[in-house]
Amino acid sequence: MPNLKVIWFTGLSGAGKSALANQLYHALTNEGHRVSILDGDVLRQKLSHDLGFSDEDRTEHMRRIIGLSNKQLEDGMFVIAALISPYKAIRELANKHRPRPIH
């Protein structure tokens, strides 16, 4: 079994996060791996449609994504997250609650 990871692309809107995520997705799936892409815009509409853009709502949105990424990793998938992640505190939250790799 491969050493599964959560790979988190961050950056400003239009910086190329989704493009990089898609390239990595294709490379990993071509090697036969199960891969999930968590796109911030898509997840905002589906997972966090009830949230706004206050600091508290952004933190809750990230908390939900962290939980989803942990679950997918436990299910044996590489997880690629493409999210703006504008606040240092939010990035630290993701790092603090990152899943432990499964070997």
Side-chain angles (χ1 to χ4, degrees):
M1 176 177 267
N3 187 9
L4 300 174
K5 302 280 185 201
V6 174
I7 302 162
W8 202 286
F9 290 109
T10 66
L12 298 174
S13 182
K17 299 177 297 298
S18 294
L20 287 172
N22 284 316
Q23 289 176 359
L24 182 57
Y25 172 87
H26 290 296
L28 289 169
T29 56
N30 285 341
E31 292 179 4
H33 299 292
R34 294 177 57 219
V35 184
S36 171
I37 293 181
L38 302 179
D39 183 276
D41 293 333
V42 173
L43 291 172
R44 175 65 72 172
Q45 294 172 7
K46 296 185 184 250
L47 182 66
S48 298
H49 59 86
D50 60 322
L51 299 176
F53 291 91
S54 68
D55 289 348
E56 295 81 14
D57 284 354
R58 288 177 189 266
T59 300
E60 176 59 20
H61 177 61
M62 294 303 268
R63 190 195 64 74
R64 292 175 185 183
I65 292 170
I66 292 165
L68 179 58
S69 66
N70 287 344
K71 174 66 173 129
Q72 290 180 338
L73 187 71
E74 289 170 3
D75 289 345
M77 301 181 80
F78 279 95
V79 181
I80 305 167
L83 306 150
I84 293 175
S85 308
Y87 302 120
K88 182 178 180 183
I90 290 175
R91 293 188 301 275
E92 288 174 349
L93 179 69
N95 193 41
K96 180 181 175 184
H97 295 286
R98 73 177 182 251
R100 306 203 189 293
I102 299 169
H103 302 278

